[in-house]
Amino acid sequence: MNRINQKLEEDKKLLSIYFTAGYPNINDTVSIIQNLEKSNVDMIEIGLPFSDPLADGPTIQDSSTKALRNGMTSELLFKQIRDIRETVSIPLIIMGYFNPMLQFGVEAFCKKCQEVGVDGLIIPDLPVDVYHKEYKSTFEKYGLINVFLITPQTSDERIRFIDSVSDGFIYMVSSASTTGAKTGFGNEQDVYFDRIAKMNLKNPQIVGFGISNNETFTQATKQAKGAIIGSAFIKYLTKNGIDTIDNFTKPILN
């Protein structure tokens, strides 16, 4: 069974952390992953930096720009994490845009993911219809889960189609905006969370965008299986470096 599916079966609310590969420094990738697992994080999203990141807010955009300047590439990421499964057992997901994967070769990229022990991909700009027609069989061949995003504006019909094509979790974007930390969720988000919960989808949902602390994590996971933190974690890395990651995660999980 894929590690993502195993993790989703655990009787707990899951914390997933996003960080940008190659940031703050080019060779920090493996240390960040190892430290996150030691800090009781459930899943990790490794951001593959791209020059035109449509869904990302300023914090993640800035980290991507710096990672690219540091020299991060798909090839280098795979090289850095080739032995990661000797020390890390939690699910690892690469989050990136489709263009670098297309340039690498979709099948070659999927094969590399399987070789190094990556469990899934999140590709915000790959439409579910295109994936379903052209790439689903390739992802399945290499044991990869592809995670799709939904927003408050996504129609019920579209959500049900995404649910039917998915075999892991659905990335539930908390609001129709770019990534970024918020202080709390309002009534609009509560209505949206309720609406999705009542749809009884076969795939659990993990909420992303706007989660930054224990309050927003608790709110987001009231009905969802887990939550993803990205921008707030990158801000922490920028300020504090990579050696005290548990100081970031402890207050969220307690």
Side-chain angles (χ1 to χ4, degrees):
M1 186 191 279
N2 186 294
R3 291 179 196 90
I4 295 170
N5 296 122
Q6 287 176 336
K7 182 58 73 173
L8 290 167
E9 287 187 356
E10 292 183 15
D11 185 22
K12 61 181 289 199
K13 299 296 186 180
L14 306 180
L15 173 61
S16 180
I17 295 282
Y18 169 98
F19 77 97
T20 305
Y23 180 85
N25 302 299
I26 191 69
N27 292 316
D28 285 341
T29 309
V30 170
S31 296
I32 291 172
I33 293 170
Q34 290 169 335
N35 286 338
L36 281 170
E37 179 168 58
K38 285 174 194 161
S39 303
N40 297 316
V41 165
D42 296 293
M43 286 195 283
I44 299 171
E45 290 174 23
I46 306 165
L48 184 59
F50 182 51
S51 55
D52 187 22
L54 303 172
D56 296 325
T59 301
I60 292 177
Q61 276 194 28
D62 187 53
S63 68
S64 289
T65 301
K66 286 176 178 156
L68 289 169
R69 280 194 200 131
N70 287 344
M72 181 49 67
T73 63
S74 303
E75 289 88 348
L76 181 56
L77 174 60
F78 286 129
K79 192 175 173 186
Q80 287 179 344
I81 62 172
R82 67 186 168 199
D83 300 318
I84 198 71
R85 287 304 173 194
E86 291 175 14
T87 55
V88 171
S89 62
I90 61 173
L92 299 175
I93 299 169
I94 290 179
M95 183 167 186
Y97 293 86
F98 195 49
N99 193 279
M101 296 177 197
L102 212 49
Q103 288 180 340
F104 196 93
V106 176
E107 180 147 12
F109 194 94
C110 291
K111 186 169 187 279
K112 226 35 178 145
C113 285
Q114 185 187 53
E115 285 171 7
V116 301
V118 167
D119 304 289
L121 295 169
I122 301 171
I123 314 164
D125 60 340
L126 175 60
V128 62
D129 321 68
V130 176
Y131 165 77
H132 188 240
K133 283 179 196 162
E134 297 182 33
Y135 301 111
K136 191 171 192 280
S137 58
T138 305
F139 277 57
E140 288 174 349
K141 178 180 174 184
Y142 295 102
L144 291 170
I145 284 173
N146 196 24
V147 177
F148 293 99
L149 284 71
I150 63 170
T151 75
Q153 279 65 47
T154 310
S155 70
D156 285 10
E157 183 186 14
R158 188 81 172 165
I159 291 168
R160 293 211 182 275
F161 178 60
I162 286 169
D163 190 44
S164 72
V165 170
S166 301
D167 185 29
F169 67 90
I170 291 172
Y171 189 131
M172 195 171 153
V173 177
S174 66
S175 60
S177 65
T178 55
T179 56
K182 292 181 177 61
T183 52
F185 294 118
N187 184 58
E188 188 186 336
Q189 274 84 31
D190 288 337
V191 169
Y192 167 51
F193 296 160
D194 280 345
R195 174 190 152 212
I196 302 304
K198 284 171 183 165
M199 289 181 76
N200 293 315
L201 302 173
K202 74 177 172 78
N203 291 278
Q205 301 90 54
I206 296 185
V207 179
F209 291 44
I211 324 289
S212 61
N213 52 27
N214 178 268
E215 183 196 349
T216 44
F217 178 77
T218 304
Q219 257 186 298
T221 57
K222 199 172 167 187
Q223 300 186 82
K225 178 64 180 172
I228 301 155
I229 298 179
S231 297
F233 179 64
I234 287 171
K235 282 178 183 169
Y236 181 87
L237 286 181
T238 306
K239 189 178 176 185
N240 303 284
I242 68 170
D243 297 323
T244 58
I245 283 171
D246 58 333
N247 289 341
F248 178 81
T249 56
K250 263 183 200 165
I252 293 159
L253 293 167
N254 291 339

